[in-house]
Amino acid sequence: MAHVRRPLVAGNWKMNGSKLALAELAKMAAGLADGALWRTIDLAVCPPAPYLYLASAASIGTRIAVGAQDCHAEASGAFTGDVSAEMIAESGCCYVIVGHSERRTLHAESNDIVRAKAAAALRAGVTPIICVGETRAERDAGKTLDVVGAQVAGSLPAGATGEGIVVAYEPVWAIGTGLTPTAGDVKAVHQFIRGELRKKLGSDGDAVRILYGGSVKPSNAAELMAIADVDGALVGGASLKAEDFLGIAAVYRTIAPSTYH
Ligand code: PGA
């Protein structure tokens, strides 16, 4: 069965932005007002947790969905400072990023923890964007596919369906550095991930959107998004300004849907 994958361009604001910066959301929405030009892709912005509710309210009636950057695995309990997937859902979010490399590194999140968080997202009816990616040392040691394969195998929740999850390949050394892998390297990893997803989900693995993330900007987005099995982007720095974010999304105006379907 042929699967149609709608590209997703998602912005990860990390611990950036402010109440005032939510004005960028309005600018993005205004830039997307001509629905006919944008109807073949999905767009999302993931601001810090305190702004989710405001961002969701601001996104109503626009082409932009709102996502969170992390969630706890439990629905509620004595977890001071944490936010559950259910709370994220109630805040109007459609997505939650889990297993971002900054969480894996700075908060020692293992594949088991990431998988539990992804399962919590499914439980709450929120689509998890599950991040995987190798470090520079792992790439230099020729271990990229081993690392990414283990992360995909270990981080996918039980009950995952092709359309219910998103995977983001983000080489750690490409995040916030201005460096990107070659098109050939991106293609090889995305094809490998597709194969792992098919092993796990059968033909449903073809329905999973695999985003590329790591120093995506308007100037390199066209090349990256045209690569086979790249179904969109997870954008950090360049998602903070409406102009850059729209510039990245705009590459899908020139990529024929038949090439990514
Ligand atoms: P970057 O971040 O686009 O600033 O490299 C990507 C990410 O961490 O998701």
Side-chain angles (χ1 to χ4, degrees):
M1 186 183 121
H3 284 282
V4 176
R5 294 189 297 268
R6 274 174 75 84
L8 168 65
V9 178
N12 171 14
W13 281 10
K14 310 192 179 187
M15 200 172 75
N16 295 302
S18 61
K19 198 171 162 188
L20 210 60
L22 292 179
E24 290 301 313
L25 265 184
K27 277 196 217 162
M28 290 175 193
L32 296 164
D34 185 352
L37 288 172
W38 302 97
R39 68 177 186 275
T40 58
I41 67 169
D42 292 332
L43 297 132
V45 170
C46 305
Y51 305 123
L52 291 177
Y53 198 86
L54 278 174
S56 297
S59 75
I60 292 171
T62 75
R63 294 290 333 276
I64 303 170
V66 174
Q69 299 173 15
D70 180 44
C71 67
H72 195 278
E74 299 296 330
S76 63
F79 304 106
T80 302
D82 278 312
V83 174
S84 73
E86 280 76 3
M87 293 166 185
I88 284 166
E90 275 202 326
S91 302
C93 292
C94 303
Y95 299 96
V96 58
I97 299 168
V98 294
H100 188 279
S101 75
E102 286 146 22
R103 302 284 323 171
R104 289 181 186 264
T105 307
L106 303 173
H107 296 268
E109 291 189 5
S110 63
N111 287 330
D112 286 349
I113 291 173
V114 175
R115 188 173 68 248
K117 290 182 173 198
L122 295 184
R123 184 186 68 217
V126 178
T127 301
I129 300 175
I130 303 165
C131 300
V132 300
E134 82 289 357
T135 63
R136 183 78 245 178
E138 288 162 345
R139 174 162 283 274
D140 290 346
K143 292 187 179 144
T144 298
L145 299 187
D146 291 343
V147 170
V148 169
Q151 287 175 333
V152 170
S155 305
L156 251 61
T161 59
E163 285 173 3
I165 63 166
V166 174
V167 172
Y169 168 56
E170 299 204 300
V172 179
W173 53 273
I175 294 175
T177 60
L179 303 170
T180 51
T182 64
D185 285 340
V186 172
K187 184 175 175 190
V189 179
H190 278 244
Q191 279 181 346
F192 170 77
I193 293 173
R194 179 73 61 211
E196 296 302 291
L197 291 169
R198 282 189 192 126
K199 274 190 217 159
K200 217 159 158 110
L201 304 176
S203 65
D204 217 19
D206 284 330
V208 178
R209 290 180 286 187
I210 308 175
L211 312 184
Y212 168 78
S215 296
V216 178
K217 33 187 197 261
S219 58
N220 62 17
E223 191 194 5
L224 289 163
M225 298 305 108
I227 297 168
D229 282 305
V230 173
D231 306 310
L234 184 55
V235 186
S239 70
L240 290 163
K241 287 270 163 267
E243 196 187 337
D244 291 342
F245 189 64
L246 292 174
I248 291 166
V251 304
Y252 280 105
R253 290 172 164 187
T254 52
I255 300 174
S258 59
T259 64
Y260 56 77
H261 283 181

